[in-house]
Amino acid sequence: MSDAKIRRPKAETPKGFRDYFGPEVTERKAMLDAITGVYHRYGFDPLETSAVETVEALGKFLPDVDRPNEGVFGWQDEDGDWLALRYDLTAPLARVAAQFRNDLPAPYRRYAMGPVWRNEKPGPGRFRQFYQCDADTVGSGSVAADAEICAMLSDALETVGIPRGDYVVKVNNRKVLNGVMEVAGVLDPANPDRFAHERGIVLRAIDKIDRLGDDGVRALLGAGRKDESGDFTKGAGLTEHQIGTIMTFVSANTAIDNMVFESSQAAAPSHIREMSHSPEFRNGVACLYLETIVGSSQIGLEGVQELKQIADLLQTQGYGADQIRIDPGVVRGLGYYTGPVYEAELTFEILDEKGRKRQFGSVAGGGRYDDLVKRFTGQAVPATGVSIGVDRLLAALRAKGRVGGASAGPVVVTVMDRDRMADYMAMVADLRNAGIRAEVYLGNPKNFGNQLKYADKRQSPVAVIQGGNEAEKGVVILKDLILGAQIAQNATLEEWKDRPAQVEVPRADLVAAVRNMLGQ
Amino acid sequence: MSDAKIRRPKAETPKGFRDYFGPEVTERKAMLDAITGVYHRYGFDPLETSAVETVEALGKFLPDVDRPNEGVFGWQDEDGDWLALRYDLTAPLARVAAQFRNDLPAPYRRYAMGPVWRNEKPGPGRFRQFYQCDADTVGSGSVAADAEICAMLSDALETVGIPRGDYVVKVNNRKVLNGVMEVAGVLDPANPDRFAHERGIVLRAIDKIDRLGDDGVRALLGAGRKDESGDFTKGAGLTEHQIGTIMTFVSANTAIDNMVFESSQAAAPSHIREMSHSPEFRNGVACLYLETIVGSSQIGLEGVQELKQIADLLQTQGYGADQIRIDPGVVRGLGYYTGPVYEAELTFEILDEKGRKRQFGSVAGGGRYDDLVKRFTGQAVPATGVSIGVDRLLAALRAKGRVGGASAGPVVVTVMDRDRMADYMAMVADLRNAGIRAEVYLGNPKNFGNQLKYADKRQSPVAVIQGGNEAEKGVVILKDLILGAQIAQNATLEEWKDRPAQVEVPRADLVAAVRNMLGQ
């Protein structure tokens, strides 16, 4: 067979996909194992669904187009049915909860972790396959289930290495917004379908607060907004009065901060002034404020009540309001959720790509979604859960220096004499049997320099050398590669003499001497 | 929105796929973690490639048909390129070894584990997504690399709980068969392309020895074979003499067993007789026999030499021939590999679905494949590796009772009084902080019987109960559910009295009393 005739395939990861090497795999695994440990202690059971679902079950069917390629990777099976890779871990959970509803415990607490796939335009740091790590409780309408998820999220963050003070779990409630909508006259409890169009615009506008600011949101609530490119987005057409009401919710955090600030001023009663700096005080003020803005709306008051209950439950369990905070500023995904929503934010500062300081930001989010299982069964099944952004949390741990410390490279036994491979393999066997990571050099042994370069690439802490002379004397030479590197960089002659980076020891003492060199 | 108008999606796993629940996930994870530990100690680094590859890189391009759906799940991306889910972990490794050849250490030892996907007809126990767990060394042509993989496979099996004596790693060499082919005149070293067609038939025939038996293989080597359905498969058309030569390889194990048996008989010299029962003796006889049948073929003698070297290297490291055995009976995948091949077989007996005793059989296999990276780069890169069938090994561990022992169910704190949820959540928090898996009942608490049924379904070892009376007295009731179940089954009245399955303890002693009940 002549090679020239064959067109060689390109050795390339498909666009938007990537491979993970060595420490990238072990560091993520260590983090997920730690999180799993917390989930397990909370009574959550693992679930691993298949990567492939029917497009129908995922809820992504587009009968008008040839292929349902909106956001998912899909294909047609031999029977003509469309299948697709899952795009998150919640849709498969809803399918499982419906499919196995007679067998699963009720409520069903489950965690899941694994890759999900998105057929979206890849970009810097945006991949088409990435990890999620979810925990959900299906079948409980109790706010205790929401509080539990918040507590578990807090425990998980501290367990992986984000200390108290460097994170906050912020809790909001979709029902409070519904209450405000009722007050503003865009939600009629007696006729829920009315004003649905306007509410859609309101939700989408609020979701964009970070990007558009107060003025942009106000414009979208009113007549509409022209963006920089000149494109006009039609607004919800609310009156100034209605807009003002909605904005009491959008700008709640500013209002609450002002109230807390006033309480700390000289004009405030002294016992209020003293309390005003505690996180618990802010939570109380937040509830008071929200109670005010939802007026007499039943759903709104229920939402505030739920927030209070969550705060109380968590306080009884020993969580401070610095760890878990009532925060009406959590807007993400308000459209999707039906009750409490929560988001974990890391509050320490990092330098962004332009060297500017900024807060690390959100690493997890979730909330209550009571309608997902209903899609399959027709029966409402209350559910609440959280999804941790695995890559973002891992990036945070790296930024804090919590992962990737000591070299985990193997001891490398070099090959001086190709015919004595059995001797070298016996050495690595001895080291491994003592629990020490070790390998023999398996490349072409002719050039010894290449062997040391290999050891360097492997981040090996120790190289073992035995030539003919050493074999005759029954000894081996150990080269301390970490110390060697340090000495080469900055040792004085005295230090060099005092701490030799190379020792000769009897073959029988190999394991003990390596252990000693490794500081074990 | 009226529900009646909406067609409900079916809550079903796609055909050929399945979900894994609770212990199925944790038991597999524990096994893979144990195997990973061994691989790590041997200096292997983890690699996690993307699940998606270009069809071109996978080597599955069928330009004549509309979709490359032969064996893989594939689809066209937005640029018209075909992508597909990986069908094993070796093809992605070859792609990575080519793509990152300038950055990876050489040789590159890597392990990988994860799901692979096959677009094949599903059947009982045959799924379209399943786990593989591979370890490969890329860039070493040394038989020490093959020996290392065999040693590591042996260690991995013992580490997960298959004791010495219950498994054997069998080693064969593709080159020995090539030598026999040369002797038979169907391989011409000076003109490797000659007789390629005949050799293909020989390889496929040998691969079917388990199903067809000696006579069936002989027929395929000769004129051809008619199967039960009357279909005729054309044979390689070899002469009787040629067939006889090939069969010296196919039936080598029988011949070797006979030689070992003769050596154990009274007619044999006494020192031979004494040795004849040791596994090492059989390995020696095997090499002698193979040396005879390859005659003067260079490639054949090289193959036997490699087998001897592997046996020697492993013996020096302390592996017995009962653990790792030279076995010309390993035929699977001979066509694919270029040198040593190996297979791990579990030798203990289990009962099959019809209640008949049979050996458990193969759980891992691999060998040397020197041409895979060459597809991409044009340069030959020697490689060798093994793939463990994760589901089969797990099934073996289950059959041996090595997994799934003690209940890992959580302590369940029941809810007697909905308004005191904070108290109950404080109890589970205390238990968790002491490292005890615990959860509060989050369903509707009205029916207490449902709560105990729930605890039963969760395989809970202990239920905690605190009604109004107990709260006033500052106590909790602990119900030992495991003991309770035992007592309910077979206790006498005396035993019932002596070992109460229910105790009342002060709330302050909750953690200590639960620990005591759990036997911790």
Side-chain angles (χ1 to χ4, degrees), chain A residues 16 53-54 74 109 224 228 241 285 288 298 300 387 430:
Chain A
E53 296 277 347
T54 64
R109 289 177 174 93
E228 295 90 61
H241 184 72
V285 171
L288 276 176
Q298 260 325 102
S387 183
D430 286 356

Side-chain angles (χ1 to χ4, degrees), chain B residues 79-159:
Chain B
D79 302 329
D81 295 331
W82 281 96
L83 303 178
L85 293 175
R86 65 183 178 208
Y87 60 87
D88 73 1
L89 300 173
T90 312
L93 170 63
R95 193 259 304 153
V96 164
Q99 184 172 351
F100 300 97
R101 61 186 177 281
N102 296 327
D103 306 311
L104 293 172
Y108 176 47
R109 289 175 174 96
R110 88 87 179 79
Y111 67 82
M113 45 194 63
V116 300
W117 292 267
R118 303 261 170 101
N119 192 358
E120 289 168 354
K121 220 179 156 64
R126 265 171 67 100
F127 293 98
R128 290 174 150 187
Q129 172 178 331
F130 55 93
Y131 260 71
Q132 285 190 337
C133 172
D134 286 22
D136 296 79
T137 300
V138 178
S140 173
S142 166
V143 287
D146 302 287
E148 179 174 89
I149 298 270
C150 291
M152 192 164 73
L153 182 54
S154 165
D155 285 10
L157 292 173
E158 294 190 18
T159 301

Side-chain angles (χ1 to χ4, degrees), chain A residues 40 43 109 432 437 440 458, chain B residues 40 42-43 109 437 458:
Chain A
H40 174 81
R109 289 177 174 93
R432 283 173 197 148
R437 190 178 194 209
V440 70
R458 299 288 289 128
Chain B
H40 174 80
Y42 270 79
R109 289 175 174 96
R437 190 178 194 207
R458 298 288 290 127

Side-chain angles (χ1 to χ4, degrees), chain B residues 105-417:
Chain B
Y108 176 47
R109 289 175 174 96
R110 88 87 179 79
Y111 67 82
M113 45 194 63
V116 300
W117 292 267
R118 303 261 170 101
N119 192 358
E120 289 168 354
K121 220 179 156 64
R126 265 171 67 100
F127 293 98
R128 290 174 150 187
Q129 172 178 331
F130 55 93
Y131 260 71
Q132 285 190 337
C133 172
D134 286 22
D136 296 79
T137 300
V138 178
S140 173
S142 166
V143 287
D146 302 287
E148 179 174 89
I149 298 270
C150 291
M152 192 164 73
L153 182 54
S154 165
D155 285 10
L157 292 173
E158 294 190 18
T159 301
V160 299
I162 307 288
R164 185 170 173 169
D166 271 351
Y167 74 91
V168 61
V169 176
K170 304 194 287 189
V171 189
N172 194 2
N173 197 323
R174 172 66 203 273
K175 291 179 182 171
V176 174
L177 173 59
N178 279 355
V180 172
M181 298 240 223
E182 196 181 330
V183 172
V186 287
L187 176 65
D188 178 358
N191 183 1
D193 282 351
R194 221 177 138 198
F195 307 120
H197 174 70
E198 285 79 2
R199 286 200 304 278
I201 297 179
V202 169
L203 276 171
R204 285 191 294 278
I206 293 180
D207 249 353
K208 291 179 189 142
I209 177 76
D210 282 346
R211 195 157 54 79
L212 304 183
D214 273 18
D215 288 347
V217 172
R218 273 178 180 277
L220 283 174
L221 297 179
R225 177 176 175 273
K226 195 181 273 185
D227 66 17
E228 295 90 61
S229 72
D231 284 348
F232 185 77
T233 308
K234 200 166 177 303
L238 305 191
T239 66
E240 266 311 303
H241 183 71
Q242 285 179 308
I243 293 173
T245 304
I246 301 289
M247 292 308 287
T248 59
F249 179 79
V250 177
S251 56
N253 262 339
T254 313
I256 294 164
D257 284 341
N258 285 341
M259 287 163 76
V260 172
F261 178 74
E262 293 300 331
S263 310
S264 71
Q265 296 303 296
S270 68
H271 72 281
I272 297 272
R273 218 159 56 221
E274 272 162 35
M275 291 193 308
S276 70
H277 293 292
S278 90
E280 279 72 19
F281 181 79
R282 195 189 187 282
N283 270 359
V285 170
C287 286
L288 276 176
Y289 177 82
L290 295 177
E291 222 158 52
T292 312
I293 65 171
V294 298
S296 62
S297 157
Q298 261 324 102
I299 185 87
L301 289 170
E302 198 179 304
V304 179
Q305 197 52 37
E306 287 180 0
L307 286 175
K308 270 190 198 165
Q309 280 172 8
I310 290 173
D312 284 350
L313 285 171
L314 291 167
Q315 205 177 337
T316 319
Q317 283 177 75
Y319 294 91
D322 60 322
Q323 291 167 292
I324 303 179
R325 183 172 82 200
I326 293 175
D327 190 325
V330 177
V331 292
R332 100 170 176 185
L334 275 181
Y336 176 77
Y337 294 109
T338 55
V341 294
Y342 26 87
E343 182 172 298
E345 191 178 301
L346 303 191
T347 52
F348 59 83
E349 288 181 333
I350 54 157
L351 297 179
D352 68 10
E353 51 287 5
K354 291 185 180 160
R356 289 169 308 204
K357 275 188 188 176
R358 64 168 184 82
Q359 290 214 335
F360 192 89
S362 170
V363 291
R368 180 165 284 282
Y369 51 99
D370 286 347
D371 297 330
L372 272 189
V373 182
K374 194 179 175 185
R375 277 188 62 230
F376 295 99
T377 60
Q379 283 185 311
V381 177
T384 186
V386 69
S387 182
I388 292 179
V390 172
D391 292 317
R392 279 195 58 74
L393 182 54
L394 204 46
L397 294 179
R398 290 208 178 98
K400 294 287 275 184
R402 299 273 166 182
V403 287
S407 151
V411 171
V412 170
V413 174
T414 58
V415 175
M416 300 294 283
D417 183 352

Side-chain angles (χ1 to χ4, degrees), chain A residues 1 3 7-15 17-22 25-26 28-29 33 40-54 56-57 67 73-76 78-79 83 85 95-96 98-100 102-109 111 117 119 128-129 131 137 139-142 144-145 147-148 193 313 316-317 374-378 408 410 421-423 425-426 429 432 435-443 454 457-458, chain B residues 1 3 7-15 17-22 25-26 28-29 33 40-54 56-57 67 73-76 78-79 83 85 95-96 98-100 102-109 111 117 119 128-129 131 137 139-142 144-145 147-148 193 313 316-317 374-378 408 410 421-423 425-426 429 432 435-443 454 457-458:
Chain A
M1 227 169 14
D3 273 3
R7 191 173 76 90
R8 285 191 202 129
K10 273 191 226 127
E12 273 175 17
T13 331
K15 202 173 52 182
F17 293 88
R18 56 162 298 193
D19 305 303
Y20 295 82
F21 293 88
V25 178
T26 45
R28 180 176 60 201
K29 181 174 185 301
D33 281 356
H40 174 81
R41 221 164 51 210
Y42 270 79
F44 284 65
D45 275 348
L47 167 68
E48 193 177 308
T49 61
S50 63
V52 179
E53 296 277 347
T54 64
E56 191 189 6
R67 322 188 24 152
F73 291 105
W75 63 90
Q76 232 167 343
E78 66 278 13
D79 302 329
L83 302 179
L85 293 175
R95 194 259 304 153
V96 164
Q99 184 173 353
F100 300 98
N102 296 325
D103 307 311
L104 292 172
Y108 176 47
R109 289 177 174 93
Y111 67 83
W117 293 267
N119 192 358
R128 290 175 151 186
Q129 171 178 331
Y131 260 71
T137 299
S140 173
S142 167
E148 178 174 89
D193 282 353
L313 286 170
T316 320
Q317 283 176 76
K374 195 179 175 186
R375 277 188 62 229
F376 295 100
T377 62
M421 188 54 100
D423 294 348
M425 289 190 80
R432 283 173 197 148
I436 298 167
R437 190 178 194 209
E439 51 173 59
V440 70
Y441 181 72
L442 283 180
Y454 171 84
K457 196 158 206 171
R458 299 288 289 128
Chain B
M1 223 165 26
D3 275 4
R7 193 174 76 90
R8 286 190 202 126
K10 272 190 226 131
E12 273 175 17
T13 332
K15 203 173 52 181
F17 291 88
R18 56 162 298 194
D19 304 303
Y20 295 82
F21 292 88
V25 178
T26 45
R28 180 175 59 201
K29 180 173 185 304
D33 280 356
H40 174 80
R41 222 165 47 214
Y42 270 79
F44 284 65
D45 275 349
L47 168 68
E48 193 176 308
T49 61
S50 64
V52 178
E53 296 278 346
T54 65
E56 190 190 8
R67 322 186 22 148
F73 290 105
W75 63 89
Q76 231 166 344
E78 67 278 12
D79 302 329
L83 303 178
L85 293 175
R95 193 259 304 153
V96 164
Q99 184 172 351
F100 300 97
N102 296 327
D103 306 311
L104 293 172
Y108 176 47
R109 289 175 174 96
Y111 67 82
W117 292 267
N119 192 358
R128 290 174 150 187
Q129 172 178 331
Y131 260 71
T137 300
S140 173
S142 166
E148 179 174 89
D193 282 351
L313 285 171
T316 319
Q317 283 177 75
K374 194 179 175 185
R375 277 188 62 230
F376 295 99
T377 60
M421 188 55 100
D423 294 348
M425 289 190 80
R432 283 172 196 148
I436 297 167
R437 190 178 194 207
E439 52 172 59
V440 71
Y441 180 72
L442 283 180
Y454 172 85
K457 196 159 208 173
R458 298 288 290 127

Side-chain angles (χ1 to χ4, degrees), chain A residues 161-278:
Chain A
I162 307 287
R164 186 169 173 170
D166 270 352
Y167 73 91
V168 61
V169 176
K170 305 194 285 188
V171 189
N172 193 0
N173 197 324
R174 171 66 202 273
K175 290 178 182 171
V176 174
L177 174 59
N178 279 355
V180 172
M181 299 239 224
E182 198 182 327
V183 173
V186 286
L187 176 67
D188 177 358
N191 183 1
D193 282 353
R194 221 178 139 196
F195 306 119
H197 173 71
E198 285 79 3
R199 285 200 304 278
I201 297 179
V202 170
L203 277 171
R204 285 190 294 279
I206 293 181
D207 249 355
K208 291 179 190 143
I209 178 77
D210 283 346
R211 194 156 54 80
L212 304 185
D214 273 18
D215 287 348
V217 172
R218 274 179 179 276
L220 283 174
L221 296 180
R225 177 177 176 272
K226 195 182 272 187
D227 66 16
E228 295 90 61
S229 72
D231 285 349
F232 184 77
T233 309
K234 201 166 175 304
L238 305 191
T239 65
E240 267 312 304
H241 184 72
Q242 287 178 308
I243 294 173
T245 305
I246 300 287
M247 293 308 288
T248 60
F249 178 80
V250 176
S251 56
N253 263 337
T254 313
I256 294 163
D257 284 341
N258 285 342
M259 288 163 76
V260 171
F261 177 75
E262 292 301 333
S263 310
S264 71
Q265 296 305 297
S270 68
H271 70 283
I272 298 272
R273 219 158 56 218
E274 272 161 34
M275 291 193 309
S276 69
H277 294 290
S278 89

